[in-house]
Amino acid sequence: MGSVRGNRSQQPHFSFATLHTGRRPLRRASPVPLLTLLCAVWAGNAAAVEVIFQGPPGSSGLTGATPGAAGGNGQAAPPALQSLFSNDASNVLVVTGGRGGNGGNGAPGNASNPAINGGNAGAGGAGADVLAELTTTLAPEVGDGSLIVLGAGGQGGNAGTPGAGLAPAPATVSGNGAAGGAGGTATVNGTLATGARGLAQMVATAVGGRGGVGSAGRSGGVDGPGGAGGDAISHARAIGGGASLLLSSLATGGAGAAASGDGGVGGLGGAASATATLDPGSANVPDLTMVARATGGRGGDANLDSTTMRRANGGNGGAAVTTTLQGYGDTYTGRTLTLSHTANGGAGGDTLFGNAGNGGDAASVIILHAPRSAQSVTVSSTATGGNGGGAAGGPSGPEPEWGRPGAGGVARSQLSVSAQTPASGGWGATFAGTSTAIAGTPGGSGFAASAEASAFSYVAGHGRVTSGATATGSDGGIGSAQAYASSNYIAIARANGAGGPNVFNPGAPGMAHALAYSGYHANADAVASSGSGRFGTVEPSSALAEASVVKVANGAAPPSQSLPSEARAHALSSQGGGQMDARSAYLDEGRGISVATRAATAQPSQQYLPEGDSAANVGGAAYAAWDGAPGSSSTVVSYASAMPTAASVAPLIASSAEVAAAFSNASTLAAGTMGALLFPFSSSAQLKMPFAAGSHILLGLVQPFSPEGVGASFDFSVSNGAVPLYSASFTSSEQAAGVFGGHVLDLGVIDANALDLMITFTLQSGIYGFSYLVGQRGALAPVPEPGTWMLTLAGLALLAWRGGAMARWRGGPV
């Protein structure tokens, strides 16, 4: 039976069961340091339970009794199983598994009989598996409470030593080495049920046992591998009813033992798994914080003695997984939720001229359906692959071969958070999710397999919603990041994907996709970059940013409007053929008006970093003119506003006497800005809105930007639905000035009640930008007398339109 220690004259009300026979559980010397690593027991409570149990070790194997006899194998330590139930305020359960028995030594050979070789070594016994379960129920009258449960797997026993051959070789040889014992698996379950009104804390910790050391064979005998580290599994579960909760689930895999012979292998690192959950039946937890952290065990190193153990192999690092799958019923009324996940793959073992161990993979998964009542939700998920083991060697050194470095571990992080919008709108709520994946670094650049990283973040809530995803590949591995944000008010999505570098091949690509969807303000930002490669070559990256606002008809407006109502997107990709696309869309359902803008690469960009900005709004301010200054502006932009405010378009109208005269009696339907720096880039704007059938469409082109001495060539077109209204190609800035330097194009009469206008600008070379106005009126307003060239241009355009054909300019008017 376990021993109980408390600060009351009588034992507290609880029951526990010892599920095996062995020595007495109370052994304070070993577990106490482990407790100090966790946290102090809650000192303010009047009742406390502390149970500490140390499992017995396995027995060691016997040494071979006669010449050439093998040593006996060490025995596995018996499982250490403990379950504790308590209703005290402070509770501690520590269960430590016993160590596996050491293997026996092999007997030496017989000097008088060459046929009798040295005996084989005995294998080490496995460390004890551990199960530690602690369930605590806190009564309503209890203030603060705590639960600490720790399970540590037993260490694997070491292998024995093989017997030596006594006659001159090869007449008699030594025995074979043996494997070290595996570390014990630790499984920890903590359950906290509370109806208290204070703060309830729980820490559940599982630590896998360390692998035992194997033994090397002598004089050509087989080398035994190092023992694998034990796995660690931690579960933290709570059932709430009034108290705020802080749950921690921690798991660390045991380390693999080092290789002990030139042909040996280091032990595998133990895997680690950590989970934390709140029971769906919980009625009310005002503030909930859940932390899950898993760390894979390190793979065993090869013995790095450069004289005798140069070709031993390192062990692979252990995998790490953290998981939270959580849903809440409609009766749950929690205000604040904080979830934090960290998964770290174990490092691979090092070597000299053998094969180094690979880093362990890491995966973190959070799927959370937040309660409607939540006002603050913060979720983070991080997965980091283990680093590969290092290796040495090379053709220029004393060894003829290379050591093989270990690959880094793959990293995958997935985060999904959702919540229904309350009837009140929940404008003041904040939802934030961050997903990060970092692939492990290889032990030697260019010689190990690539490691990929993928990060996914989906956050759908109310109020201000932020979703971020960052993925970083290593050594030629792809980095893929996807971020999605959705809200009735403000949605912000950020994605950053970075590919890993490569010594002998092109750098790996990054992929980034950011999508923001909201009812008022949406902002999406995607950045994709390729790692550096041989001679500067890279694989093309891809960045896509999409921002969308849908303003619901008769929808309630948020009480405070610190940000403009608009959709805005930014995308940046690396050079070398990288793809970039920034799209913004705004739909006003009440007005039946939509605006969609796009800034993108027209074809692969080999020389320039493609960077695009787009923005759209309905009923807001017109956007400022593009300045085109290198280093301060994106390489391509498209901004558009439908039904812009009169004050914002007044400067554009007044910038040209011709435009001012034409728009004096016209309705301004839209205003926008387009521009591109260098090439090849394209921008567009699509405007859909009601229209007075039989009216003229006017297009005012103002404020052209083209630096002196740079020049530009580009294509420009306007269409309504499938009907082309205007199309031209310009080969110089001077030629374009005749159309874009403050002039008005009458695009003709539209005999429809709806407009579907598409404006497209594609830069072929140089730098060029401009602003435009879209107007509606019954007839073309009188304008200042144009020059002869403009009269010819306008006449040809009008004739082409009336004939239903599409007029094109190639190098000037025809």
Side-chain angles (χ1 to χ4, degrees):
M1 297 283 288
S3 295
V4 179
R5 298 180 62 87
N7 57 1
R8 297 187 296 179
S9 58
Q10 296 181 350
Q11 292 183 356
H13 299 291
F14 74 98
S15 63
F16 65 90
T18 302
L19 303 182
H20 75 288
T21 59
R23 63 184 63 185
R24 291 179 58 82
L26 182 61
R27 291 186 60 179
R28 304 300 301 274
S30 175
V32 168
L34 295 174
L35 289 177
T36 62
L37 295 176
L38 295 173
C39 60
V41 176
W42 194 265
N45 294 297
V49 172
E50 181 178 329
V51 176
I52 300 174
F53 179 82
Q54 170 69 65
S59 58
S60 296
L62 300 177
T63 299
T66 60
N73 293 331
Q75 298 301 302
L81 313 175
Q82 285 284 311
S83 293
L84 173 66
F85 301 87
S86 170
N87 58 7
D88 287 75
S90 178
N91 306 272
V92 176
L93 173 63
V94 178
V95 181
T96 304
R99 176 175 175 169
N102 293 329
N105 299 328
N110 192 329
S112 62
N113 186 353
I116 301 178
N117 300 320
N120 296 332
D129 291 340
V130 167
L131 173 63
E133 296 183 321
L134 176 57
T135 299
T136 296
T137 300
L138 299 179
E141 62 271 15
V142 175
D144 298 332
S146 66
L147 179 158
I148 296 174
V149 55
L150 166 68
Q155 180 177 337
N158 296 331
T161 301
L166 299 182
T172 302
V173 298
S174 65
N176 295 323
T185 295
T187 302
V188 171
N189 297 318
T191 300
L192 177 63
T194 175
R197 296 295 183 266
L199 172 64
Q201 302 181 70
M202 175 170 60
V203 179
T205 303
V207 180
R210 184 182 184 88
V213 177
S215 58
R218 300 177 178 177
S219 304
V222 176
D223 298 318
D231 296 341
I233 304 167
S234 174
H235 303 279
R237 173 175 173 260
I239 304 172
S244 294
L245 292 176
L246 173 58
L247 309 181
S248 296
S249 178
L250 314 175
T252 302
S260 57
D262 198 34
V265 180
L268 302 177
S273 173
T275 61
T277 59
L278 178 68
D279 193 280
S282 299
N284 176 32
V285 178
D287 301 303
L288 171 65
T289 299
M290 296 194 296
V291 177
R293 183 174 70 240
T295 302
R298 177 183 173 85
D301 292 327
N303 188 315
L304 299 184
D305 184 325
S306 60
T307 301
T308 60
M309 311 299 177
R310 296 188 289 194
R311 294 177 184 81
N313 300 321
N316 293 335
V321 178
T322 56
T323 306
T324 292
L325 307 177
Q326 185 68 67
Y328 298 90
D330 292 337
T331 59
Y332 184 82
T333 58
R335 300 185 303 267
T336 303
L337 285 88
T338 303
L339 275 70
S340 176
H341 272 203
T342 304
N344 298 313
D350 296 330
T351 185
L352 286 178
F353 305 110
N355 295 326
N358 297 327
D361 295 341
S364 175
V365 178
I366 297 177
I367 299 178
L368 170 70
H369 181 67
R372 193 188 298 263
S373 59
Q375 290 296 301
S376 176
V377 178
T378 304
V379 181
S380 65
S381 172
T382 302
T384 304
N387 293 335
S396 60
E399 295 295 327
E401 73 276 4
W402 293 88
R404 186 193 67 80
V410 173
R412 304 189 187 282
S413 174
Q414 179 182 349
L415 179 156
S416 178
V417 179
S418 61
Q420 293 182 350
T421 303
S424 61
W427 308 111
T430 59
F431 285 72
T434 304
S435 180
T436 304
I438 304 172
T441 302
S445 180
F447 301 101
S450 61
E452 298 182 355
S454 63
F456 176 89
S457 175
Y458 173 86
V459 185
H462 42 272
R464 186 183 184 93
V465 173
T466 304
S467 177
T470 300
T472 305
S474 73
D475 203 60
I478 296 173
S480 177
Q482 301 179 70
Y484 301 87
S486 177
S487 174
N488 64 334
Y489 183 21
I490 297 171
I492 300 172
R494 303 279 186 266
N496 192 322
N502 199 290
V503 174
F504 298 108
N505 298 300
M511 302 177 66
H513 185 185
L515 171 63
Y517 178 90
S518 80
Y520 180 79
H521 177 92
N523 191 304
D525 189 357
V527 177
S529 57
S530 299
S532 60
R534 182 176 176 85
F535 304 124
T537 58
V538 297
E539 294 287 347
S541 291
S542 176
L544 172 61
E546 298 180 86
S548 177
V549 171
V550 177
K551 187 176 181 181
V552 180
N554 301 320
S560 61
Q561 302 178 2
S562 58
L563 295 172
S565 182
E566 68 171 357
R568 181 177 288 270
H570 169 263
L572 171 65
S573 185
S574 57
Q575 64 186 32
Q579 296 180 337
M580 177 277 299
D581 202 339
R583 305 179 184 183
S584 298
Y586 193 111
L587 169 62
D588 188 324
E589 291 184 341
R591 296 187 183 187
I593 299 174
S594 69
V595 180
T597 58
R598 183 181 183 187
T601 49
Q603 62 190 55
S605 173
Q606 298 294 336
Q607 299 178 347
Y608 311 107
L609 289 174
E611 182 176 10
D613 278 293
S614 66
N617 73 67
V618 175
Y623 294 95
W626 181 68
D627 61 14
S632 63
S633 298
S634 291
T635 50
V636 58
V637 301
S638 179
Y639 310 127
S641 173
M643 307 304 295
T645 60
S648 65
V649 297
L652 295 175
I653 294 175
S655 65
S656 163
E658 181 178 327
V659 173
F663 278 74
S664 60
N665 294 316
S667 299
T668 302
L669 302 180
T673 294
M674 293 182 175
L677 176 68
L678 304 174
F679 69 95
F681 303 109
S682 177
S683 60
S684 65
Q686 185 176 23
L687 308 166
K688 294 184 178 182
M689 62 185 67
F691 189 78
S695 298
H696 284 253
I697 281 291
L698 306 181
L699 183 64
L701 299 168
V702 299
Q703 296 182 335
F705 177 85
S706 182
E708 185 177 355
V710 176
S713 64
F714 60 90
D715 298 327
F716 180 74
S717 65
V718 184
S719 62
N720 182 47
V723 179
L725 302 181
Y726 181 90
S727 180
S729 294
F730 300 89
T731 58
S732 69
S733 302
E734 293 76 16
Q735 181 191 29
V739 176
F740 293 87
H743 299 291
V744 177
L745 298 178
D746 183 352
L747 301 178
V749 176
I750 303 297
D751 292 322
N753 293 321
L755 187 69
D756 184 4
L757 200 68
M758 174 66 78
I759 303 173
T760 303
F761 164 75
T762 302
L763 185 71
Q764 304 298 342
S765 66
I767 301 174
Y768 203 82
F770 59 92
S771 295
Y772 60 87
L773 294 159
V774 178
Q776 169 187 282
R777 64 171 296 136
L780 184 63
V783 296
E785 184 72 18
T788 303
W789 184 86
M790 271 303 297
L791 285 173
T792 303
L793 180 67
L796 288 172
L798 184 59
L799 288 173
W801 176 82
R802 287 178 176 175
M806 179 173 61
R808 289 192 175 274
W809 281 257
R810 300 291 183 187
V814 295

